[in-house]
Amino acid sequence: LPPHTTRMLSPRAVARPDGVIDVFWGASADSAAEMAISVTDLWHASYGPGGWSEPDHVLEGTSVYWNSGAPDVAMIRGRPVAAVPIVRRKAGLDSTGIAVVRRADSAWRTTLVLTGGSVPTSVAVDTTGDGTVELAFTGSMGSWGPRSISNGAFTVRSIDGGATWGPVQALMDGGGALVFAMQAASTTDGVLHLLWGVDSTATGGP
């Protein structure tokens, strides 16, 4: 385990081109979080020829939905990135969206992409051949133009490595169907493919 770490909830790893492994994991002061789908904190450490690095505390929230199939990690522009559904409470108000955690220079940066609806059910993050970062998710949007989409697939794009994000675009309105399990995969020619499941019986899930 990394230094000063006694447990790692739902660790997820991604490899750098030089073979160093970056690992993100959840933690919570509440031991019951081991059985819950959300935690309050996200940590990171890397493992290489010299062993483990010191852990970094990279994210905190009222509910960080890490202990489920919802989050994703990727290596983008040679740096580790984690994307996870989150609820943050401030002054009695909840902000629901996706926290994108990335390494910028020598510090960790977090950008919150607001969804405005319920907590996204699945998230995928990856990059295209020209360096554009795509964040895709399933769930609901509280306000989508003149209407709301309660069950759909969405994407949002960043052209600066995840520092800022454009408007959310709807890929699909599932209507009464259950839309779930968003996945992203880049091919060697730089094309990004998005895949997700649809259950018209509304009884399935990730």
Side-chain angles (χ1 to χ4, degrees), residues 4-196:
H4 319 299
T5 303
T6 58
R7 58 181 178 176
M8 303 168 73
L9 300 182
S10 301
R12 289 174 169 84
V14 62
R16 303 181 197 176
D18 61 3
V20 174
I21 306 297
D22 289 276
V23 183
F24 295 90
W25 70 93
S28 177
D30 181 5
S31 59
E34 293 186 10
M35 301 300 293
I37 63 172
S38 66
V39 296
T40 57
D41 301 275
L42 194 65
W43 290 79
H44 166 273
S46 59
Y47 184 82
W52 285 100
S53 68
E54 287 287 333
D56 290 320
H57 183 219
V58 298
L59 181 65
E60 182 178 1
T62 305
S63 297
V64 181
Y65 289 85
W66 187 257
N67 293 350
S68 67
D72 192 24
V73 298
M75 189 63 62
I76 295 177
R77 299 185 180 183
R79 297 177 181 270
V81 174
V84 57
I86 189 173
V87 175
R88 279 181 166 169
R89 184 169 298 139
K90 185 176 182 180
L93 298 176
D94 288 344
S95 296
T96 302
I98 301 166
V100 181
V101 182
R102 62 191 177 88
R103 186 77 172 181
D105 300 321
S106 60
W108 289 95
R109 310 291 185 189
T110 300
T111 305
L112 181 62
V113 178
L114 296 174
T115 58
S118 58
V119 175
T121 56
S122 64
V123 175
V125 62
D126 212 327
T127 185
T128 60
D130 63 0
T132 299
V133 182
E134 293 281 350
L135 177 66
F137 63 96
T138 58
S140 66
M141 282 291 294
S143 178
W144 175 254
R147 61 191 174 92
S148 297
I149 295 179
S150 60
N151 210 340
F154 307 88
T155 185
V156 58
R157 178 172 295 175
S158 172
I159 60 173
D160 55 10
T164 59
W165 297 86
V168 176
Q169 303 290 328
L171 298 172
M172 176 185 183
D173 184 348
L178 181 65
V179 184
F180 62 96
M182 179 64 73
Q183 301 288 320
S186 296
T187 54
T188 55
D189 58 359
V191 175
L192 179 64
H193 298 267
L194 299 176
L195 306 93
W196 62 90

